[in-house]
Amino acid sequence: GDGYMSLYGHNERLYKAVGEQVAAGDAIAEAGDSGGTSRPELYFEIRKGGRPVDPRPWFKASAP
């Protein structure tokens, strides 16, 4: 919504469909080794209006 979209790559299994609502804590996918990687990993990106933005503000800081 609001012009934002998230991208995820190297998935082994997807648990949510494109456009499906998600809530905090929902599992959306399982990391895998697709795309020529030798071990499971995750590619993650947030875009606004089609342009990449820094995802750090979207994450809650952990307690020290």
Side-chain angles (χ1 to χ4, degrees):
D2 200 27
Y4 286 96
M5 75 174 181
S6 56
L7 305 167
Y8 306 86
H10 304 294
N11 301 307
E12 178 72 25
R13 181 172 292 125
L14 300 175
Y15 299 122
K16 298 288 183 176
V18 172
E20 190 173 348
Q21 286 282 341
V22 297
D26 283 357
I28 58 170
E30 189 175 304
D33 59 2
S34 65
T37 63
S38 61
R39 62 179 189 215
E41 57 183 60
L42 171 69
Y43 175 84
F44 171 70
E45 188 176 303
I46 292 180
R47 291 183 171 230
K48 168 117 177 154
R51 293 201 155 119
V53 296
D54 184 354
R56 286 179 286 190
W58 290 81
F59 296 99
K60 186 167 119 179
S62 59

